[in-house]
Amino acid sequence: MKASVVTPNSYTFSFICKCCDSFEAFKYGQVIHGETVRLGFGSNVFVQNNILNLYAICCGNSGLAWKVFDEMPERDVVSWNLMIGAYMRHDEIEAAIDLFELMPERSIVTWNSVVSGLSKKGNMELARMVFERMPERNEISWNSLISGYVRIGDMEAAKCIFDQMPKKTVVSWTALITGYTMIGDLETASNIFNLMSFKNVVSWNAMISGYVQNHMFDQAVNMFHLMQTDAKCKPDQTTLVSVLSSCSHLGSLEHGKWIDSHIKKHKFELSVSLGNALIDMFAKCGDVENAKSVFHKMASRCIITWTTMISGLAVNGQCREALSLFDRMQSEEIKPDDVIFIAVLSACAHGGLVEEGKWVFEQMVNEYDISPRIEHYGCIIDLLGRAGKLEEALRFIESMHLNPNAVIWANLLASCKIHGNEEMLESVARKILDQEPSNPGYLMLISNLSASVGKWEDFSSFRVAMRQHGVEKVPGCSSIQVGDSVHEFLAKDTRHVQRKEIYGSLHSLNGHLKAVRMFTNVEWSGETKIVNQRTAGII
C-alpha cells in the first residue's frame, strides 16, 4: 500500500494493530506506532486507542501502555476502559481501581470490565462491592459475577446471585451447571440442566464433560444419546471429543465406531483435538489399525498426536513399530518433549527392548537436555526389572538425582517376585513400608508376595496390620456393553436395578457349570483308570 503511494486512514491502522496480538509481534507494533505519529495521527483518539490496546496486549507490563495513555491529548471512555483492562491483565488491581475511581464518566462496559477483571482474578469480595455500586446491570454483569464464584468453587454464592438475576439466560444456567460439575455435585447439575427451557450445544457439553471429569463415563455416553434423541442441538467437536474420551475409559469400541461413522457422515473436519481423541479411543479399545488410519489421515499433527499413537502401539504390543514411529517423528524435525519420552520408554519396557530403552534415555538427557522425571526413571527400572537385571536396576536407583518414591520400589519389588530374588525382595519391601505404610495397594502387594515365597508369618502380620488400620483395597470394576448402555459392576454389587435377574442368571449358570465339571471329572477319572491299567500292563 505504501509502495503504491496510497495514504492510509484511521481504519488502516485499526486493522494493522489487530495483527499484533502477541509479544513476538511487538516490534511490528512499534513500527506501526511510529508510522501513526509520522503521518499525523498522534492526536486521533480512534487511532491512539488502537495503539494503546496494542501495547496493553503485547507488552509484559503496563508501563508503555500507561505512557501512551498519559500522552494522549484527548481520551474517551474507550481509552479509560483499555487502560483499566491493561492494569487488570497485569494483576495491578490497585492501579486499575484507582484509575476507575478517577474516570470522569463510566459506561456499563467500564463497570463490566472491572467486575469481570476482578472475578477472573478471584477477588470476589471487591468484585461484589463494585457490582453492588453499579447504576445499571445487564446480562454480562450478572454472568461475570456468577462465573467468578464458580471459578473459586463457591456455589452457594453463585446460586444466590443466579436466583437474584431478573432474566436468566442460557449462559447463566450453563455457568451454574459447570460450577456444580466442578465440585462433583452431578445430581444438582443434572437437576438444573433438566429445568432449562432452552439448551444450546454448550449446555449439553457442560453436562457431558462434567460426567467425564468426574469419571462417570457411562452417564456421559447416555447423556450424548439423550442429546441425539432431543435432536434440537447438533453435537460439535467439543461434544465428540468428550464422548470419545468416555469410550476410551470404558473400552467401548462399539460406541467409538458409531461416533467415528457420525463424524464421517456429517463431514466433520478432522481437527487435531478430534483426531487425537479418535486415535486414543481406537488404541485403548485394541483397534490399532483404525488408530493408524486416523493418524495417517490427519492433515496436521501436534506432539500429543505422536505421543498418543506411540503409546497406543506400545500398549497393544507393537513396541518396535512405536520406536520406528518415534524415529519418523524426529526425522520430520518435530522436537520431542518429556511426555513423549515416557511413552517411548514404556514401549521399550513392554517390548523388553533393553538396549533401545537405555539409548532413548541417554538421548533424552544428552541430546534434548531434558531432565528426567520420576516417571522416566520408573520406566527404566521397569525395563531392567522385567529383563531380570535387578542389580543393575538397584544401581540405577542409587544414581538417580531424585529421591526414589514408593512407586519406584514397587516396580523393583514386582520384578524381584518374578525372578525369585527373595533377599532383595525383603529389603525393597522395607523401603516401601517406610515411605507409605498405610497404602492398601502396596500392603496387598507385599502380603501376596510374602505368601508366594512361603513366608506365611509375614503374610499374616501384613493382613492383621491392614485390618487394624482399617485399610481396604479399592475394588476393581468390570464393565459390559449391552446395546447403547455400558453397565459397571463391583464384586457382590447390589446397585444395579436388575440385580435380581442378573444374580438369578448367574446362579443358573453356576449350576450348569457344576454339572459340566462333575461330568468332566467322571470322564477324566475313567480315562485315568484306563491309562493306569494300560501302564500297569506295560510294566
Side-chain angles (χ1 to χ4, degrees):
M1 184 179 181
K2 286 172 68 180
S4 302
V5 199
V6 178
T7 305
N9 62 15
S10 58
Y11 292 103
T12 311
F13 291 110
S14 171
F15 299 133
I16 292 293
C17 285
K18 285 184 173 68
C19 299
C20 305
D21 59 355
S22 67
F23 184 74
E24 289 75 17
F26 182 52
K27 59 182 180 181
Y28 300 111
Q30 288 178 306
V31 173
I32 293 160
H33 188 188
E35 286 288 306
T36 64
V37 174
R38 190 178 67 81
L39 294 169
F41 288 97
S43 58
N44 184 308
V45 68
F46 178 74
V47 172
Q48 289 307 300
N49 281 343
N50 280 286
I51 296 297
L52 173 58
N53 190 49
L54 184 150
Y55 280 104
I57 292 171
C58 294
C59 285
N61 57 64
S62 61
L64 289 175
W66 168 255
K67 193 173 180 183
V68 173
F69 178 81
D70 192 42
E71 293 176 356
M72 287 175 71
E74 183 187 349
R75 304 180 191 120
D76 61 8
V77 70
V78 176
S79 317
W80 289 84
N81 290 347
L82 288 169
M83 195 61 232
I84 290 169
Y87 279 134
M88 287 288 187
R89 187 177 287 107
H90 298 293
D91 293 330
E92 297 176 57
I93 305 298
E94 191 175 340
I97 296 298
D98 288 344
L99 194 63
F100 172 74
E101 297 296 347
L102 288 171
M103 282 186 76
E105 65 170 303
R106 306 180 186 103
S107 67
I108 193 165
V109 175
T110 314
W111 289 95
N112 284 342
S113 65
V114 173
V115 172
S116 177
L118 291 170
S119 297
K120 286 176 181 175
K121 300 300 178 186
N123 194 336
M124 294 311 300
E125 186 178 352
L126 195 50
R128 184 70 175 266
M129 287 171 61
V130 175
F131 178 82
E132 297 294 347
R133 286 173 55 195
M134 291 181 74
E136 61 171 318
R137 301 171 187 135
N138 61 11
E139 178 192 334
I140 296 169
S141 321
W142 291 93
N143 288 337
S144 295
L145 204 62
I146 292 169
S147 298
Y149 282 121
V150 164
R151 203 172 284 111
I152 64 171
D154 188 351
M155 290 311 301
E156 187 177 342
K159 183 67 165 59
C160 180
I161 297 296
F162 176 81
D163 290 338
Q164 294 174 33
M165 194 173 178
K167 187 179 178 182
K168 298 167 180 63
T169 65
V170 68
V171 177
S172 323
W173 288 93
T174 305
L176 213 59
I177 290 166
T178 302
Y180 280 111
T181 61
M182 282 170 60
I183 63 170
D185 189 352
L186 272 298
E187 185 179 351
T188 304
S190 179
N191 291 338
I192 292 169
F193 180 81
N194 292 331
L195 288 171
M196 291 177 72
S197 56
F198 170 76
K199 304 176 181 80
N200 63 12
V201 69
V202 182
S203 318
W204 286 96
N205 289 347
M207 219 42 244
I208 292 169
S209 64
Y211 281 125
V212 174
Q213 288 159 16
N214 287 276
H215 308 287
M216 301 169 73
F217 305 114
D218 51 342
Q219 287 93 327
V221 174
N222 290 337
M223 182 59 68
F224 176 67
H225 285 305
L226 283 174
M227 183 182 184
Q228 294 290 93
T229 307
D230 184 72
K232 291 176 184 174
C233 286
K234 291 183 179 179
D236 61 8
Q237 292 223 2
T238 304
T239 321
L240 298 172
V241 168
S242 292
V243 182
L244 283 167
S245 175
S246 295
C247 295
S248 299
H249 285 92
L250 292 168
S252 177
L253 183 58
E254 187 177 333
H255 275 125
K257 282 185 172 178
W258 185 89
I259 294 166
D260 184 38
S261 65
H262 180 88
I263 290 166
K264 291 170 181 172
K265 181 181 176 182
H266 293 88
K267 297 180 180 177
F268 274 89
E269 179 195 354
L270 194 61
S271 65
V272 173
S273 58
L274 188 57
N276 291 348
L278 276 168
I279 293 168
D280 185 56
M281 181 276 297
F282 279 125
K284 284 181 178 173
C285 292
D287 191 345
V288 189
E289 293 309 312
N290 264 322
K292 290 179 190 175
S293 175
V294 174
F295 179 83
H296 293 305
K297 283 177 187 173
M298 289 177 69
S300 59
R301 307 181 186 105
C302 66
I303 191 70
I304 297 170
T305 315
W306 293 91
T307 305
T308 307
M309 193 66 243
I310 288 169
S311 181
L313 290 167
V315 297
N316 284 283
Q318 299 185 21
C319 301
R320 288 201 176 274
E321 194 169 343
L323 281 179
S324 298
L325 190 63
F326 180 61
D327 291 338
R328 178 184 155 189
M329 187 194 88
Q330 290 176 297
S331 68
E332 293 185 17
E333 298 183 352
I334 297 167
K335 188 178 179 180
D337 62 4
D338 58 335
V339 178
I340 199 166
F341 273 108
I342 295 172
V344 178
L345 289 169
S346 296
C348 295
H350 284 296
L353 309 172
V354 178
E355 295 307 316
E356 291 87 343
K358 289 179 183 178
W359 178 80
V360 168
F361 187 84
E362 291 295 323
Q363 186 186 33
M364 177 186 78
V365 175
N366 299 326
E367 187 175 334
Y368 292 102
D369 197 28
I370 294 173
S371 182
R373 287 161 44 188
I374 200 74
E375 293 86 354
H376 299 112
Y377 286 125
C379 290
I380 295 294
I381 303 304
D382 190 32
L383 173 68
L384 296 171
R386 285 171 187 252
K389 299 178 181 289
L390 302 179
E391 296 295 335
E392 187 178 348
L394 189 57
R395 288 196 300 273
F396 186 81
I397 292 173
E398 290 167 353
S399 71
M400 286 166 51
H401 80 283
L402 298 172
N403 290 324
N405 59 14
V407 177
I408 294 288
W409 293 116
N411 271 345
L412 188 59
L413 185 70
S415 300
C416 291
K417 187 235 177 180
I418 292 167
H419 297 286
N421 191 326
E422 292 183 32
E423 292 179 11
M424 193 180 288
L425 191 148
E426 268 186 55
S427 63
V428 173
R430 204 173 301 115
K431 289 183 184 295
I432 294 173
L433 292 173
D434 287 342
Q435 291 189 7
E436 295 197 31
S438 300
N439 186 301
Y442 295 142
L443 285 172
M444 187 68 71
L445 174 66
I446 293 167
S447 65
N448 288 342
L449 290 178
S450 299
S452 70
V453 296
K455 296 190 175 183
W456 297 107
E457 288 184 10
D458 291 347
F459 170 78
S460 300
S461 65
F462 284 127
R463 290 295 172 134
V464 169
M466 287 174 71
R467 282 196 294 272
Q468 286 175 345
H469 287 89
V471 173
E472 291 185 9
K473 187 177 182 291
V474 177
C477 175
S478 301
S479 63
I480 184 170
Q481 182 174 335
V482 181
D484 290 336
S485 301
V486 177
H487 304 266
E488 291 185 338
F489 298 95
L490 300 172
K492 299 181 181 179
D493 205 336
T494 57
R495 297 173 302 166
H496 201 280
V497 292
Q498 292 178 282
R499 57 186 175 275
K500 288 183 179 179
E501 294 90 333
I502 291 168
Y503 281 114
S505 298
L506 282 171
H507 182 73
S508 175
L509 282 169
N510 281 334
H512 286 296
L513 287 168
K514 284 177 183 177
V516 171
R517 189 166 57 192
M518 287 175 64
F519 180 74
T520 306
N521 286 342
V522 169
E523 281 198 331
W524 177 250
S525 177
E527 287 179 10
T528 305
K529 286 179 182 177
I530 294 167
V531 170
N532 287 341
Q533 287 170 2
R534 287 176 181 167
T535 307
I538 292 167
I539 292 169

